[in-house]
Amino acid sequence: MSEFSAVWTPPGGAFWAGSWRPPAVPLEVRDPENGTVVGTVSDCSAADVDVAVRGVALSVIEGEAWPLWQRREALARAAALLGERSDHFASLISREGCKPVREAGREAKRAVETVRLSAEQAHCLEGSTLPFGDTPRSGGRVGWYTREPVGVIGAITPYNDPLNLVAHKLGPALIGGNGVVLKPAEQTPLTALAFVELLLEAGVPAGRLAVLPGRGATVGAALVSHPLVDMVSFTGGYATGDAVARTAGAKKTLMELGGNGAVIVLPDADVERAAQAVVDGAFGAAGQNCLSVQRVYAAPEVADLLLDLVVAGAERLVVGSKSDPVTDIGPLVDEAAAERVEAWVSQAVEAGATVRAGGKRDGTFHWPTVLTDVPAGSRVLTEEVFGPVVSIQPFGSVDAAVAEVNGSDYGLQAGVFTRDIDSALDVAHRLRVGAVMINDTGDFRIDAMPFGGSKHSGVGREGVPFAVEAMTEPKIIAIHRAG
Ligand code: NAD
């Protein structure tokens, strides 16, 4: 395939209260590669959110029962349909988003897994009897608890994984018996609309689902503050997450936020393997990935070789059109994002950093960039770049490398490369992050594992089984026998 198939037209600009809605106020979706319009959806309002939330709440509280077996069957059917249509979804993800079509294909396949795992969680929604006999105060009582839906979930997603991150919210919410109102990223609503259409076709009751494209400040804020939204599941940047948490107040929240992924390479590491993993982890999706590898701390014995290999790997990557199957690196989400990345690289260079590869921008494209000699405090080290930039530096000691990793405001995932299990476990235990990957970078995830981070990287854990747990709550029923 060298060109995208025809632009897909969604059945409506938004969906709520059981119907597709034509765009009252249109929101154009543009291809970040060249600015062409690839679709038009609704730019929904706060009033639309109110109607949609009320509809979903009514369906959850007073609507027809949706038993667990039907939820399981609907999601299993959705996984099968998604598998059959993965080329269509790959094309949508790539067209409105930033991923080259090959990489978008991998996301579409992963989303099948996420939905399949969600269906399988039906078998884990279990409770337990309670030990009322353990206290003299409870004589004559028996009881148990079950896991019940939280109610209405407000789901807010970012642009960088337009399908799989939506699946990570809708799959667990639906199998848990909730209703969901989704606000997808304004840049990538088409994939979300197509996924909702597929879920409805698979048998998810129309009243349980709503999707409202639009702006964060209107649709997002109205959703978070709505009194009938019982829980907010948010994925996005730290600053937005912080604002969402303030608006949500005492509401239940699950927050998957940013990162500035670090890797430690010890002197006995397989350097070639580490270098390839750094190239993959730093430049996949042009660095627009919360798990992106941004900081590499290497033992002085291997730092030069590692640098040479990462530079060679970065220079081999093909920057180009997303529709071309040979392309490795597509555009950033918009020109402002590419200019910001360029500015952060320039600031580091002005402060003394050296560009070893890349360092070039053209429109929304930023070339895979490798930096060395980056002074402490540079934004490319302290903040989340969310672009294809990695810094490599030798460490003075393992303790110093651990301190550098832990010195960040973020703590999502990290990697350590070594052949020595004691060193690996020692470093792993000392890192303040949500996950440590040994002989992988932090850019590794399976969709069933608990996923999330410490500090500014998030609150709580996603990952299908863990999201299902967060989106359900124990409810106790106790019986006091007569006599
Ligand atoms: P963003 O924070 O700008 O936007 C995320 C979503 O929040 C969008 O749908 C946006 O419209 C909405 N939003 C904006 N303002 C809002 C408000 N006031 N109230 C409610 N919603 C609002 O993020 P982005 O630029 O789309 O995505 C990139 C960020 O997402 C990065 O920081 C990245 O690390 C993070 N991310 C995290 C994970 C994870 O699982 N930890 C995964 C992917 C992306």
Side-chain angles (χ1 to χ4, degrees):
M1 195 201 308
S2 62
E3 282 192 356
F4 287 118
S5 44
V7 177
W8 174 75
T9 306
F15 180 87
W16 70 79
S19 310
W20 289 99
R21 313 276 161 174
V25 180
L27 178 67
E28 284 183 340
V29 184
R30 290 178 183 274
D31 183 338
E33 185 169 311
N34 49 29
T36 54
V37 176
V38 295
T40 302
V41 300
S42 303
D43 193 354
C44 293
S45 66
D48 297 335
V49 174
D50 183 49
V51 178
V53 171
R54 286 180 191 285
V56 171
L58 199 68
S59 169
V60 170
I61 298 162
E62 292 179 20
E64 238 177 81
W66 190 31
L68 186 55
W69 69 268
Q70 287 182 359
R71 295 181 229 155
R72 171 174 50 72
E73 287 199 345
L75 287 170
R77 214 172 297 130
L81 289 174
L82 200 51
E84 287 164 19
R85 298 176 196 167
S86 58
D87 284 350
H88 171 63
F89 275 89
S91 158
L92 273 179
I93 292 166
S94 185
R95 190 75 191 259
E96 65 175 349
C98 302
K99 291 183 182 178
V101 71
R102 202 159 30 95
E103 196 171 11
R106 289 199 291 272
E107 182 183 339
K109 292 210 163 63
R110 250 184 84 177
V112 175
E113 186 82 346
T114 304
V115 179
R116 181 184 63 76
L117 282 167
S118 299
E120 287 171 4
Q121 287 307 304
H123 302 294
C124 306
L125 280 164
E126 50 194 21
S128 170
T129 53
L130 293 164
F132 281 116
D134 196 37
T135 163
R137 289 188 303 106
S138 68
R141 289 178 178 84
V142 290
W144 61 88
Y145 76 86
T146 50
R147 290 210 76 87
E148 299 295 316
V150 170
V152 178
I153 312 281
I156 301 177
T157 51
Y159 70 83
N160 60 309
D161 284 325
L163 178 61
N164 199 34
L165 291 177
V166 170
H168 264 287
K169 303 213 179 299
L170 269 47
L174 293 170
I175 197 69
N178 300 282
V180 202
V181 181
L182 168 68
K183 183 248 171 281
E186 42 270 63
Q187 301 93 338
T188 56
L190 294 172
T191 310
L193 292 172
F195 183 53
V196 165
E197 187 187 32
L198 179 146
L199 288 171
L200 296 170
E201 181 184 339
V204 172
R208 294 259 167 173
L209 253 181
V211 51
L212 286 88
R215 323 272 167 180
T218 45
V219 177
L223 189 56
V224 173
S225 61
H226 200 290
L228 294 180
V229 169
D230 299 290
M231 173 180 176
V232 175
S233 176
F234 172 83
T235 300
Y238 170 73
T240 319
D242 196 44
V244 164
R246 284 170 207 278
T247 308
K251 208 168 265 183
K252 189 169 189 179
T253 55
L254 190 57
M255 299 263 175
E256 297 297 337
L257 308 177
N260 61 356
V263 171
I264 296 177
V265 183
L266 296 181
D268 65 344
D270 178 337
V271 182
E272 286 185 10
R273 179 173 166 181
Q276 186 55 54
V278 166
V279 169
D280 294 343
F283 304 128
Q288 297 163 107
N289 170 9
C290 56
L291 295 177
S292 195
V293 176
Q294 198 174 311
R295 303 176 291 148
V296 179
Y297 302 100
E301 298 90 325
V302 297
D304 287 345
L305 175 59
L306 182 81
L307 175 63
D308 289 347
L309 292 170
V310 172
V311 166
E315 286 173 345
R316 267 197 303 274
L317 295 172
V318 178
V319 179
S321 176
K322 292 176 293 173
S323 62
D324 190 333
V326 304
T327 296
D328 297 304
I329 309 285
L332 296 193
V333 70
D334 53 34
E335 191 144 359
E339 283 172 354
R340 178 189 53 75
V341 173
E342 181 183 41
W344 287 13
V345 170
S346 299
Q347 284 168 15
V349 169
E350 279 158 27
T354 310
V355 175
R356 303 293 181 143
K360 185 178 132 191
R361 178 184 75 83
D362 182 6
T364 52
F365 287 83
H366 195 289
W367 267 249
T369 298
V370 182
L371 300 174
T372 57
D373 318 307
V374 181
S378 302
R379 296 178 92 168
V380 292
L381 293 179
T382 59
E383 297 186 34
E384 179 181 42
V385 176
F386 223 59
V389 180
V390 67
S391 302
I392 300 184
Q393 41 205 332
F395 60 64
S397 65
V398 175
D399 287 350
V402 168
E404 289 285 357
V405 179
N406 287 345
S408 169
D409 285 341
Y410 292 104
L412 194 48
Q413 300 203 148
V416 53
F417 286 84
T418 174
R419 291 182 166 99
D420 181 66
I421 189 69
D422 289 333
S423 309
L425 293 180
D426 175 54
V427 170
H429 284 303
R430 290 156 70 197
L431 293 179
R432 260 196 89 195
V433 291
V436 179
M437 301 297 165
I438 295 168
N439 292 326
D440 265 317
T441 70
D443 181 33
F444 176 75
R445 172 184 188 188
I446 62 165
D447 296 285
M449 73 187 208
F451 182 72
S454 53
K455 300 185 272 184
H456 286 188
S457 288
V459 180
R461 294 292 182 269
E462 254 189 15
V464 175
F466 300 86
V468 173
E469 182 161 340
M471 291 174 175
T472 54
E473 276 166 356
K475 178 176 181 185
I476 296 163
I477 295 181
I479 304 172
H480 194 175
R481 278 174 290 168

